[in-house]
Amino acid sequence: MGERLDVESVEGAVAGREPLDIVRWAVSRSGEGLALACSFGAEDVVLVDMLARVTDTPRVFALDTGRLHEATYETMERVRERYGIAMEVYFPDREAVERLEREQGFFSFRQSLEARRACCQIRKVEPLRRALAGLDAWVTGLRREQSVTRAALAVVERDEAHGGILKLNPLADWSSDQVWEYIHRHGVPYNRLHDEGYPSIGCEPCTRAIRPGEHPRAGRWWWESPEHKECGLHVGPDGTVRVLGQARGSGTGAEAAHG
Ligand code: SF4
């Protein structure tokens, strides 16, 4: 956003605005210093559509972990074609993945929480760090109601884990119904897995469909307890995840690109 803005002044600028207006305001302030982290889930395709409405040069980046669903790649391609956006794709470090798979095998993330976080660190967290380098601000599709780890989410946060850049969550207040109403009203391309029982979509081996009545995040790392269900993209500098009641702004690592 050009000069470094404090969170309070940005909050004042976007207070009471609808998500599209927040996106428009952010683009007008930061131009190419702002990018959307896109995992091609429902919230993210809504934000791609909004970005495309307010600028001819939207910046959208994605983390290709190497373990995504085929349906996610199909969605990426449909979004790319629909909006004509050159996606900024980040792969994990090749040597780190080679070492991980040689030493730990191909499903190390099932062995323990630490092993799972180590995989996310290589495939998501480190690439995200590269994606955010040089940005003034980033946009995510996080919503408050998604999980206990996001219940204290603010629309504007300072991302201390990534050099203190701003992190904007324009859909923080939105419900799932609002997201889907937008998708259908505007004919936004979306991941077909959402129609197959996947409200939340990440890497293929770490995501399953949920059963009726289950929490929307129940299909992510289903072998772990709810308070651990973040991949490290939205974990604070101290390594903790945001939990219900936690002071706002204190847990703002990152996530959304496959969070
Ligand atoms: Fe690895 Fe699973 Fe994390 Fe993807 S979600 S980076 S496969 S542990």
Side-chain angles (χ1 to χ4, degrees):
M1 322 221 123
E3 79 279 27
R4 184 176 166 115
L5 297 176
D6 61 76
V7 169
E8 288 70 27
S9 68
V10 178
E11 277 180 329
V14 303
R17 296 196 191 205
E18 290 297 312
L20 179 61
D21 281 338
I22 295 173
V23 171
R24 181 181 290 113
W25 179 88
V27 168
S28 73
R29 285 305 304 246
S30 64
E32 296 194 352
L34 173 132
L36 167 68
C38 186
S39 68
F40 300 90
E43 291 81 6
D44 296 342
V45 294
V46 164
L47 288 166
V48 170
D49 187 90
M50 290 181 177
L51 262 180
R53 287 172 190 275
V54 302
T55 176
D56 292 332
T57 56
R59 287 193 62 188
V60 179
F61 71 83
L63 309 182
D64 184 348
T65 65
R67 303 296 295 253
L68 302 180
H69 296 260
E70 188 71 11
T72 300
Y73 291 109
E74 292 168 6
T75 310
M76 292 163 77
E77 187 62 12
R78 284 166 53 222
V79 169
R80 194 179 72 85
E81 290 174 353
R82 161 80 175 264
Y83 298 100
I85 298 173
M87 302 289 173
E88 300 172 28
V89 178
Y90 288 83
F91 282 108
D93 176 76
R94 177 180 62 81
E95 290 184 1
V97 174
E98 289 174 352
R99 195 178 316 116
L100 175 74
E101 294 189 346
R102 285 173 186 165
E103 295 176 1
Q104 309 283 333
F106 303 98
F107 292 88
S108 56
F109 37 81
R110 298 272 167 73
Q111 294 167 7
S112 66
L113 180 60
E114 290 67 34
R116 198 273 287 169
R117 285 180 173 162
C119 184
C120 285
Q121 176 70 30
I122 290 170
R123 296 182 188 273
K124 295 181 174 181
V125 177
E126 191 281 329
L128 177 71
R129 185 185 56 72
R130 280 186 277 125
L132 297 181
L135 291 181
D136 297 322
W138 62 306
V139 179
T140 87
L142 296 181
R143 290 187 301 108
R144 226 168 264 145
E145 68 173 29
Q146 284 170 327
S147 72
V148 293
T149 61
R150 299 175 183 180
L153 184 72
V155 173
V156 183
E157 300 181 321
R158 173 82 57 205
D159 188 352
E160 299 296 355
H162 296 102
I165 65 174
L166 286 180
K167 181 178 175 185
L168 303 175
N169 311 304
L171 304 182
D173 296 333
W174 268 23
S175 65
S176 175
D177 286 350
Q178 286 174 290
V179 170
W180 282 102
E181 195 275 332
Y182 186 100
I183 287 173
H184 294 313
R185 177 155 41 98
H186 297 290
V188 179
Y190 65 89
N191 195 322
R192 61 179 163 79
L193 292 177
H194 287 307
D195 293 332
E196 299 170 20
Y198 291 74
S200 176
I201 304 167
C203 290
E204 191 277 338
C206 296
T207 309
R208 65 160 170 77
I210 63 169
R211 292 179 285 274
E214 281 191 310
H215 187 279
R217 296 272 292 178
R220 303 295 299 281
W221 305 294
W222 58 93
W223 58 92
E224 295 177 4
S225 56
E227 68 272 22
H228 293 146
K229 291 188 181 193
E230 293 290 356
C231 53
L233 298 178
H234 299 282
V235 174
D238 60 353
T240 60
V241 295
R242 186 195 341 258
V243 296
L244 185 64
Q246 184 173 335
R248 50 171 299 184
S250 60
T252 56
E255 158 174 313
H258 304 293

